[in-house]
């Protein structure tokens, strides 16, 4: 691509790499004449500003010269001084060498000419500054003359050696070695190159082609390898570039042959040693890759020969080319179409002729309009390649690459670049604990594992939780749960016996001692008689039962009209109900209970209720719960200070079928009403009920930011509880819920990141249909490589896409399209929608009646839009599916009431066509709809209620995406986390999670439902619901 251009018949030179801004110096060429046949010379300096889009260069300095130039070179000598820009050396006719101070040329102040020397006998065509010592300048001219100038003392130049070679030749090029400062080489027209050692003042080697057809026109040293150089030939019979290595100087290492005529100049990139520029008489400029010996960049054929090409020292992408037609052009090797520059030129001309009015568009002939496309480099250049790189891969792998540690000239060609794959472990403690858990699960020795955890626990709540988890693995767990809560039957019997003995001692008398003696005798007698056979005992009993006591006192039945009389009359008539009523009225509760027991269960129940209603003692509610067995009321009404006693009641009296639900209710109440004070104790209720899902949700509320150690602790509890449930119900009776699956997947990801792939895969549920679990299982399976040989591969979890030129059809436009159309349906372009990623889908329009899919699609495209943004309405259709005659009027925004009626008409169709939500995502809809309902009940102004109504309709887009399964795993995880925050009554935390999800997901994926979800969460936060 052409960047800049300058019309000058001149030789050129770039400013050194340390110079900024970048300059290009030009000197009138001694080899060319213009139309005026003037022999005057001019030295000009131009600033190269690539920020300027124009092709022109800004001239910053100009100086008239006494002669024209064959060669220019710009050195950095003196650039360390204040406001110093280096020195330009110019070689002219008659052996003239002139040195210029660049700073004085740019400032037009002091005398810019530093010195002029005329030591050479002919034209000075070769110049080069030493890259290590900026004060050393090499110059070459006719008759094999080479001088080394010291800019600190220009009086007497030195020579690299004697003119021993015969015959004497012109010096076509000079170049200092880029690695060794005392090595200089010269190129001669005869095709040979001489390498000089200035320490010895003699040539050390001569390189020559044996074909004797080389006519050297250029020379360049390798930027990195000290022993390699290139020579180019301007002979049309041998237009080649030869790469030589002085260690094997009998023949060239490589010969580059792509030019059809003699090569005029070469330039080796100092930023990338593989790139070499060349220009030739075939009007071509080529860029070579010396590693592969191929042309990697090629400019279109120019109109004239280019006699000099040079890389820009500061900007490695840019090079300049001076041609015999009087133009100096600046190009970029990154390539671009020239059409842009042609349009710039056309616009520039149009602006000159427009006179304030735009010209009609230019009709370019087709053959002229063909753009010349310049491809960029086939291989990224070295300055754009990363010298080192690092990236983390799945499974905790760290992939790195970098430059070789050995020097460049010692690296064999071609150089092998190594890529290192390392295993990175950042959580060694996690892996240790995970291995212990895996070993306990594999061996089945979970009791010892729990016991170790009990000893290791430093917090009493953690110790209690592990004790409960251990009990779940043992038999008779209910009694052991009671013992852990502090209630033991053995201890109770001892306490009661002690209490009774203390009461007897306080009220004992001689008569009581006699009674005790008689009772003991009777007890001993009864024990002895129990040893007799059954028939003997029954015979004896019958005999004594028939005996009538002798001294028995006769008792009377009261017949008075008082309470005693009425009670006796009711009993004589068998009216136990009125009798019980009389006893209750007189607060003879013991008599009432005894009579009610004789009257049946219904009467006994009524008597118990009346007794419990009248007796307001501290233990009355407990008696009521035990007698009436109304455990739900007990769970909701008891004081949370007595949560242990409530749990003990459930463990003692409730049936196994109702026990888990009641424990979960008690735990939920402890979480919600205690203000986070009893959240950790609520986990004991979930352990007793075996509710793994609620245990995980409770943990999530206590741990807002899940660290690896906390997640490991959760998984230990979950796996132990899960194993106890498997022992109780069987392996098929336990299925993890959404929260548990999410945490297990998170834990498996964490293990995989530490390199524990097999262990991570063992934790994933095998029968889970959630997409993140299936995708992680697939990645873990294939990441293990040979470690899973013989195992069945999991099902492919990603949607298969057929890549090819398949025409866009109705059947492929939407995953919900389930019918085949029997006739051609006209398709209209989709109308623009805002915040809707599926705007490219086309809506089928039928001539007479809409299909079920059409109703669903119209519902989607009309309902889901952000509040406050007017949506474009669809074109109303007349007969045959065409726009009606009053399109402009009908296309206007319709009143909101009509739109609502339209939605109500289409709602049944949507319900018919939409799939059911997957089970793992149904909790999202429940949580969000419950939040909307709470906000609606709390809202007082109509504006907020209207926003909530619109939000309820626009959240249908989210449910559609959940049905189709198009959301990515991070978004799904974030939505479930938001739902958990909503259920916990913390919309501000939900807003924080919302911001994280939006920040790490694509706009097109979440734009249709995330804004409305944020609006609902904001309203909930303001209303404090």
């Amino acid at each position: 691509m052409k960047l800049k251009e300058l019309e000058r018949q001149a030789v050129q030179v770039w400013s050194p790499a340390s110079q900024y801004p970048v300059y290009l110096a030009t000197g009138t060429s001694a080899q060319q004449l213009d139309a005026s046949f003037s022999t005057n010379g001019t030295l000009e300096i131009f600033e190269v500003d690539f920020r300027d889009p124009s092709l022109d260069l800004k001239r910053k300095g100009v100086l008239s010269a006494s002669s024209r130039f064959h060669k220019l070179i710009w050195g950095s000598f003196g650039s360390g001084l204040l406001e110093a820009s280096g020195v330009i050396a110019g070689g002219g006719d008659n052996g003239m060498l002139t040195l210029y101070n660049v700073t004085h040329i740019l400032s037009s102040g002091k005398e810019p000419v530093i010195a002029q020397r005329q030591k050479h006998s002919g034209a000075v065509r070769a110049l080069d500054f030493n890259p290590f010592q900026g004060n050393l300048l090499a110059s070459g001219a006719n008759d094999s003359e080479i001088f080394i100038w010291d800019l600190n003392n220009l009086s007497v130049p030195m020579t690299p050696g004697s003119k021993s070679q015969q015959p004497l030749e012109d010096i076509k090029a000079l170049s200092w070695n880029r690695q060794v400062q005392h090595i200089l080489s010269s190129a001669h027209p005869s095709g040979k190159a001489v390498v000089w050692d200035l320490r010895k003042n003699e040539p050390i080697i001569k390189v020559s082609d044996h074909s004797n057809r080389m006519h050297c026109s250029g020379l360049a040293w390798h930027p990195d390898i000290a022993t390699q150089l290139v020579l180019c030939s301007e002979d049309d019979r041998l237009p080649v570039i030869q790469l030589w290595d002085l260690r094997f100087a009998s023949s060239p290492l490589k010969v580059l042959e792509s030019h059809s005529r003699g090569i005029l100049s070469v330039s080796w990139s100092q930023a990338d040693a593989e790139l070499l520029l060349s220009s030739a008489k075939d009007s071509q400029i080529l860029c070579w890759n010396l590693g592969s010996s191929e042309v990697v960049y090629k400019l279109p054929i120019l109109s004239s020969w280019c006699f000099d090409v040079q890389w820009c020292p500061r900007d490695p992408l840019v090079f300049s080319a001076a041609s015999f037609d009087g133009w100096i052009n600046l190009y970029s090797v990154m390539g671009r179409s020239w059409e842009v520059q042609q349009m710039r030129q056309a616009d520039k001309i149009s602006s000159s002729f427009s006179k304030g009015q735009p010209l009609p568009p230019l009709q370019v002939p087709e053959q002229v309009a063909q753009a010349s496309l310049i491809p960029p480099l086939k291989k990224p250049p070295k300055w754009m390649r990363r010298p080192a790189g690092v990236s983390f891969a799945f499974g905790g792998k760290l992939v790195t690459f970098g430059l070789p540690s050995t020097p460049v000239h010692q690296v064999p060609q071609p150089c092998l670049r190594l890529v290192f794959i390392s295993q990175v472990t950042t959580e060694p403690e996690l892996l240790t604990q995970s291995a212990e858990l895996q070993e306990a699960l594999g061996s089945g020795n979970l009791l010892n594992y729990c016991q170790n955890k009990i000893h290791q626990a430093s917090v009493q709540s953690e110790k209690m939780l592990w004790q409960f988890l251990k009990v779940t693995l043992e038999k008779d767990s209910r009694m052991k749960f009671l013992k852990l809560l502090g209630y033991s039957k053995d201890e109770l019997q001892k306490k009661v016996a002690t209490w009774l003995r203390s009461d007897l001692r306080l009220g004992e008398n001689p008569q009581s001692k006699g009674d005790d003696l008689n009772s003991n005798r009777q007890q001993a007698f009864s024990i002895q008689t129990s040893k007799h056979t059954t028939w003997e005992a029954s015979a004896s009993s019958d005999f004594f039962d028939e005996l009538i006591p002798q001294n028995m006192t006769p008792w009377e039945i009261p017949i008075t009209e008082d309470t005693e009389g009425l009670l006796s009359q009711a009993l004589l008539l068998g009216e136990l109900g009125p009798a019980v009523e009389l006893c209750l009225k007189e607060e003879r509760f013991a008599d009432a209970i005894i009579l009610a027991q004789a009257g049946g269960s219904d009467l006994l129940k009524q008597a118990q209720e009346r007794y419990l209603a009248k007796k307001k003692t501290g233990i009355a509610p407990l008696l009521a719960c035990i007698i009436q067995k109304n455990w739900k009321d007990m769970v909701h009404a008891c004081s949370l200070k007595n949560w242990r006693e409530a749990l003990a009641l459930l463990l003692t009296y409730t049936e196994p079928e109702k026990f888990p639900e009641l424990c979960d209710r008690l735990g939920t109440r402890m979480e919600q009403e205690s203000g986070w004070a009893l959240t950790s104790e609520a986990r004991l209720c979930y352990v007793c009920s075996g509710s793994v899902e609620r245990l995980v949700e409770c943990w999530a509320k206590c741990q807002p930011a899940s660290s690896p150690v906390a997640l490991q602790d959760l998984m230990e509890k979950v796996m132990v509880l899960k194993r106890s449930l498997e022992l109780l119900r069987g392996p098929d009776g336990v299925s993890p819920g959404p929260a548990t699956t999410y945490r297990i997947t998170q834990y498996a990801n964490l293990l995989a990141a530490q390199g524990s792939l097999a262990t991570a895969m063992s934790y994933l549920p095998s029968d889970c249909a959630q997409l993140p679990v299936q995708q992680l299982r697939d990645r873990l399976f294939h990441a293990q490589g040979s470690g899973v040989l013989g195992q069945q591969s999991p099902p492919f979890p990603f949607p298969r896409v057929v890549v090819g030129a398949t025409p866009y059809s109705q059947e492929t436009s939407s995953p919900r399209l389930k019918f085949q159309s029997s006739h051609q349906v006209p398709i209209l372009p989709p109308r623009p929608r805002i915040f809707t990623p599926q705007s490219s889908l086309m809506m089928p329009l039928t001539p007479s009646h809409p299909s079920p899919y059409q109703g669903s699609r119209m519902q989607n495209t009309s309902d889901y839009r952000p509040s406050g943004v007017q949506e474009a309405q669809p074109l109303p259709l007349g007969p045959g599916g065409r726009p009606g005659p009053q399109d402009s009027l009908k296309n206007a925004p319709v009143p909101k009431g009509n739109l609502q009626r339209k939605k109500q008409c289409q709602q049944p169709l949507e319900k018919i066509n939409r799939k059911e939500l997957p089970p793992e995502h149904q909790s999202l809809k429940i949580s969000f709809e419950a939040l909307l309902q709470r906000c609606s009940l709390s809202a007082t102004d109509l504006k907020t209620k209207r926003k909530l109504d619109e939000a309820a309709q626009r959240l249908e887009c989210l449910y559609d995406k959940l049905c189709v399964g198009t959301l990515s795993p991070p978004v799904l995880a974030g939505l479930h986390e938001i739902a958990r925050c909503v259920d916990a009554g913390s919309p501000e935390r939900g807003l924080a999670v919302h911001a994280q999800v939006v920040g790490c997901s694509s706009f097109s994926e979440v734009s249709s439902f995330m804004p409305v979800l944020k609006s609902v969460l904001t309203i909930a936060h303001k209303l404090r619901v």
Side-chain angles (χ1 to χ4, degrees):
M1 170 191 173
K2 182 188 291 187
L3 302 176
K4 301 289 181 181
E5 62 182 9
L6 177 65
E7 188 176 5
R8 290 291 186 279
Q9 289 183 342
V11 294
Q12 58 173 352
V13 64
W14 287 95
S15 58
S18 59
Q19 175 68 44
Y20 184 82
V22 180
Y23 292 115
L24 181 70
T26 62
T28 308
S29 176
Q31 300 174 342
Q32 304 175 59
L33 291 176
D34 56 10
S36 64
F37 294 95
S38 173
T39 58
N40 296 329
T42 303
L43 179 64
E44 298 175 285
I45 298 178
F46 296 89
E47 180 184 352
V48 182
D49 185 6
F50 296 113
R51 295 171 298 180
D52 183 7
S54 67
L55 297 177
D56 302 328
L57 293 173
K58 301 176 183 178
R59 189 168 70 177
K60 292 297 182 179
V62 60
L63 177 67
S64 298
S66 57
S67 63
R68 295 194 169 196
F69 301 96
H70 288 273
K71 180 70 175 178
L72 286 179
I73 190 73
W74 194 330
S76 58
F77 176 73
S79 59
L81 303 176
L82 184 63
E83 297 181 356
S85 300
V87 176
I88 294 178
D93 291 325
N94 302 322
M96 182 63 69
L97 176 64
T98 309
L99 300 177
Y100 301 94
N101 188 316
V102 178
T103 304
H104 295 169
I105 298 176
L106 295 174
S107 62
S108 301
K110 299 181 181 179
E111 173 60 37
V113 178
I114 299 175
Q116 282 187 330
R117 296 293 183 268
Q118 194 171 6
K119 286 285 186 179
H120 290 285
S121 58
V124 181
R125 294 185 175 88
L127 293 171
D128 194 20
F129 276 104
N130 190 299
F132 299 96
Q133 293 179 268
N135 61 312
L136 296 182
L137 171 66
S139 61
N142 297 341
D143 299 332
S144 301
E145 287 181 344
I146 300 177
F147 291 139
I148 309 298
W149 303 86
D150 185 356
L151 271 59
N152 294 319
N153 185 9
L154 295 171
S155 58
V156 180
M158 62 174 289
T159 59
S162 62
K163 302 179 183 179
S164 58
Q165 61 272 20
Q166 295 294 332
L168 300 178
E169 297 182 276
D170 296 341
I171 304 297
K172 300 290 291 184
L174 285 174
S175 180
W176 291 95
N177 192 283
R178 300 300 168 182
Q179 299 295 323
V180 184
Q181 62 181 359
H182 56 82
I183 299 298
L184 177 70
S185 63
S186 59
H188 304 269
S190 62
K192 65 183 177 183
V194 180
V195 180
W196 305 83
D197 187 346
L198 269 63
R199 294 183 305 179
K200 301 177 182 179
N201 278 348
E202 63 179 8
I204 57 175
I205 191 173
K206 298 179 182 179
V207 177
S208 177
D209 183 68
H210 299 292
S211 64
N212 294 325
R213 291 185 297 172
M214 279 285 291
H215 193 281
C216 289
S217 58
L219 166 71
W221 282 101
H222 196 292
D224 300 325
I225 303 175
T227 59
Q228 292 186 7
L229 56 83
V230 292
L231 299 173
C232 62
S233 171
E234 64 177 349
D235 194 334
D236 292 343
R237 297 172 300 171
L238 191 65
V240 297
I241 300 174
Q242 295 178 345
L243 174 63
W244 293 83
D245 195 315
L246 302 182
R247 295 169 293 182
F248 183 73
S250 59
S251 62
L253 285 179
K254 293 182 180 179
V255 179
L256 308 179
E257 300 176 311
S258 282
H259 285 289
S260 58
R261 298 190 64 182
I263 300 170
L264 299 177
S265 67
V266 291
S267 179
W268 210 323
S269 174
Q270 301 301 307
D272 188 350
E274 291 184 347
L275 298 182
L276 181 74
L277 276 176
S278 65
S279 63
K281 300 176 186 177
D282 56 4
S283 302
Q284 289 193 99
I285 297 178
L286 305 181
C287 183
W288 304 81
N289 186 310
L290 291 179
S292 59
S293 302
E294 63 174 341
V295 176
V296 294
Y297 180 79
K298 180 180 180 180
L299 277 177
I301 297 177
L302 305 176
S303 58
S304 180
W305 298 354
C306 175
F307 64 86
D308 184 28
V309 289
Q310 294 184 26
W311 289 100
C312 177
R314 187 173 183 88
D315 193 342
L317 291 173
V318 180
F319 68 92
S320 60
S323 55
F324 285 115
D325 60 356
W327 285 92
I328 298 177
N329 297 309
L330 275 59
Y331 300 97
S332 171
V333 292
M334 297 312 294
R336 190 178 176 185
S337 174
W338 281 10
E339 203 174 64
V340 178
Q341 295 177 2
Q342 293 174 0
M343 292 303 297
R344 282 182 187 169
Q345 188 69 15
D347 293 342
K348 187 176 180 181
I349 296 175
S350 299
S351 63
S352 301
F353 288 90
S354 61
K355 294 182 180 180
Q357 296 181 357
L359 295 175
L362 180 64
Q363 301 293 332
V364 183
E366 188 172 338
Q367 63 272 15
V368 180
Q370 295 179 355
S372 301
L373 183 64
I374 307 173
L377 292 173
K378 297 180 181 179
K379 183 180 179 182
K382 182 179 179 180
W383 61 84
M384 296 187 68
R385 300 178 206 156
R386 295 181 179 178
V390 60
S391 177
F392 278 100
F394 182 75
K397 298 294 190 299
L398 182 68
V399 184
T400 59
F401 68 90
L403 296 176
S405 57
T406 57
V408 178
H409 62 276
Q410 297 180 9
V411 177
Q413 298 291 337
C415 175
L416 295 178
R417 304 297 176 133
L418 299 180
V419 176
F420 300 93
I421 302 178
S422 309
Q423 181 67 49
V424 178
T425 302
T426 58
E427 301 290 341
E429 183 181 356
L430 173 73
L431 292 181
T432 303
Q433 296 179 3
S434 176
E436 294 176 358
L437 176 61
Q438 191 70 10
E439 181 182 359
L441 292 173
S443 62
N445 193 12
L446 288 175
L447 289 175
N448 292 337
Y449 181 81
C450 293
Q451 189 63 39
N452 294 333
K453 288 293 180 181
I454 293 172
H455 292 317
Q456 295 172 7
S458 58
V459 183
Q460 182 60 33
S461 60
E462 283 294 310
K463 183 176 291 188
M464 177 72 78
L465 182 58
W466 276 110
Q467 289 174 345
F468 269 65
L469 288 170
K470 181 185 176 184
V471 168
T472 59
L473 299 168
E474 300 173 350
K475 296 181 179 179
D476 197 12
S477 59
R478 282 204 179 190
M479 297 303 298
K480 294 179 179 178
F481 281 142
L482 286 171
K483 188 174 293 186
L484 289 175
L485 291 172
Y487 297 99
S488 173
K489 289 186 177 181
D490 296 336
E491 295 293 331
L492 178 63
Q493 291 177 0
K494 293 179 182 179
K495 291 179 181 179
V496 172
T498 304
W499 182 268
L500 293 177
R501 283 196 297 270
S502 64
D503 287 348
L504 290 175
R505 292 192 191 98
L506 292 175
E508 68 181 7
N509 50 56
Q511 182 65 31
S512 64
K513 290 184 178 179
D515 293 341
D516 292 340
L517 180 61
N518 293 333
S519 64
N520 292 336
R521 290 176 180 177
Q522 292 176 2
Q523 183 178 5
F525 179 77
S526 64
I527 294 174
Q528 292 178 0
T529 56
S530 63
K531 298 180 181 179
H532 295 286
T533 59
T534 304
W535 66 272
E536 291 175 344
S538 62
S540 301
S541 176
D542 293 341
F543 173 77
F544 286 104
D545 289 342
E546 292 177 358
L547 294 178
I548 300 175
Q550 298 297 325
N551 299 324
M552 203 176 161
T553 304
W555 53 276
E556 298 180 359
I557 299 175
I559 55 175
T560 59
E561 294 299 325
D562 56 0
T563 303
E564 291 286 335
L566 292 176
L567 182 59
S568 62
Q569 293 179 31
L571 293 177
L572 292 175
L573 295 175
E575 294 293 334
L576 298 180
V580 170
E581 290 288 338
L582 289 172
C583 292
L584 291 174
K585 183 178 180 181
E586 296 295 326
E587 294 186 356
R588 298 168 60 176
F589 297 111
D591 295 342
I593 295 298
I594 292 173
L595 291 175
Q597 189 172 8
S601 59
D602 292 339
L603 184 59
L604 178 62
K605 184 177 180 181
Q606 293 177 6
Q608 291 173 347
E609 291 177 354
R610 293 281 300 278
Y611 168 76
L612 294 173
K614 287 189 175 183
K615 278 290 185 180
K616 300 296 183 180
T617 62
I619 203 172
L622 177 60
L623 295 176
C625 291
I626 296 175
I627 294 173
Q628 299 173 0
K629 297 181 181 181
N630 192 1
W631 303 114
K632 287 186 179 180
D633 292 345
M634 185 273 295
V635 168
H636 290 289
C638 71
S639 173
L640 291 180
K641 296 179 181 179
N642 302 113
W643 68 268
R644 290 175 180 267
E645 290 72 23
L647 183 58
L649 281 173
L650 297 179
L651 288 167
T652 304
Y653 292 102
T654 56
E655 301 174 358
E657 296 79 11
K658 299 180 180 179
F659 175 71
E661 179 187 358
L662 293 171
C663 281
D664 289 345
R665 287 176 180 267
L666 178 60
T668 303
R669 183 166 173 245
M670 291 169 65
E671 285 187 73
Q672 294 177 351
E673 299 182 15
S674 65
W676 305 96
L678 297 176
T679 303
S680 59
E681 285 77 7
R683 297 179 298 177
L684 301 178
C685 299
Y686 301 142
V687 171
C688 293
S689 67
S691 180
V692 181
E693 183 74 3
R694 290 188 177 271
L695 178 64
V696 174
E697 292 176 352
C698 182
W699 176 88
K701 295 176 182 178
C702 299
Q703 300 284 340
S706 57
S707 63
V709 177
L711 190 60
Q712 171 66 32
D713 182 65
L714 173 67
M715 284 299 107
E716 291 171 354
K717 298 178 176 65
V718 167
M719 289 298 118
V720 172
L721 184 57
K722 185 170 177 287
R723 181 59 58 89
S724 67
L725 294 177
E726 291 176 355
L727 295 175
L728 182 64
R729 308 174 188 173
D732 299 334
V734 181
S735 58
T740 307
T741 303
Y742 171 72
R743 295 301 174 182
I744 291 177
T745 307
Q746 187 180 9
Y747 180 64
N749 272 309
L750 184 59
L751 289 178
Q754 303 300 315
S756 186
L757 303 180
T759 305
M761 192 168 180
S762 65
Y763 285 104
L764 292 178
S766 57
D767 55 347
C768 183
Q770 292 188 21
L771 188 61
V773 178
Q774 294 182 352
Q775 292 177 353
L776 181 58
R777 176 177 293 278
D778 181 78
R779 295 190 71 183
L780 288 171
F781 180 85
H782 292 94
Q784 295 181 61
S786 59
V788 291
L789 290 177
Q791 300 183 20
Q792 185 179 0
S793 175
F796 189 68
F798 302 97
R800 298 183 181 273
V801 178
V802 179
V803 180
T806 305
Y808 189 88
S809 60
Q810 279 182 298
E811 289 76 7
T812 60
S813 62
S814 173
R816 294 184 294 172
L817 189 56
K818 299 297 182 182
F819 67 93
Q820 297 288 338
S821 178
S822 59
H823 59 278
Q824 281 300 110
V825 180
I827 303 296
L828 288 182
R831 57 191 176 89
R833 291 181 294 150
I834 302 174
F835 291 116
T836 308
Q838 299 90 350
S839 58
S840 60
L841 296 178
M842 297 185 179
M843 182 174 64
L845 303 174
T846 57
S848 55
H849 57 279
S851 65
Y853 171 75
Q854 178 183 349
S856 176
R857 174 57 61 191
M858 290 177 66
Q859 167 72 15
N860 295 337
T861 57
S862 61
D863 292 352
Y864 309 136
R865 65 184 188 277
S867 57
V869 179
Q870 181 63 42
E871 182 187 20
Q873 300 297 323
L875 290 175
L877 302 178
R882 304 192 177 199
Q886 298 178 355
D887 295 339
S888 59
L889 294 177
K890 294 182 180 180
N891 201 25
V894 296
K896 190 170 185 64
N898 297 337
L899 183 60
Q900 291 177 350
R901 287 195 295 269
K902 177 182 176 183
K903 292 174 184 175
Q904 293 173 0
C905 295
Q906 291 169 351
Q907 189 68 20
L909 294 177
E910 182 186 5
K911 291 183 178 180
I912 293 174
N913 287 276
R914 181 193 295 163
K915 299 179 182 178
E916 292 185 0
L917 279 174
E920 62 270 16
H921 300 321
Q922 288 180 357
S923 59
L924 294 177
K925 185 175 182 180
I926 295 173
S927 300
F928 295 153
E929 288 183 348
L931 179 63
L932 287 170
Q933 185 176 6
R934 294 198 300 268
C935 292
S936 299
L937 294 176
S938 302
T940 56
D941 58 320
L942 294 177
K943 183 178 180 181
T944 303
K945 290 186 177 182
R946 190 180 302 114
K947 284 185 178 180
L948 292 172
D949 293 339
E950 294 179 357
Q953 296 170 356
R954 289 164 55 197
L955 278 177
E956 298 294 329
C957 183
L958 170 61
Y959 306 144
D960 287 342
K961 288 179 176 289
L962 292 174
C963 292
V964 179
T966 57
L967 297 179
S968 60
V971 175
L972 290 174
L975 289 172
H976 281 283
E977 192 67 29
I978 293 174
R980 278 188 285 272
C981 296
V982 168
D983 295 338
S986 179
E988 63 275 6
R989 287 174 55 193
L991 286 171
V993 177
H994 180 281
Q996 295 178 0
V997 175
V998 173
C1000 64
S1001 58
S1002 67
F1003 175 79
S1004 60
E1005 182 182 12
V1006 300
S1007 60
S1008 57
F1009 58 87
M1010 274 303 191
V1012 65
L1013 190 55
K1014 180 180 179 181
S1015 176
V1016 174
L1017 291 172
T1018 305
I1019 293 174
H1021 180 58
K1022 292 180 179 179
L1023 297 176
R1024 301 184 182 274
V1025 297

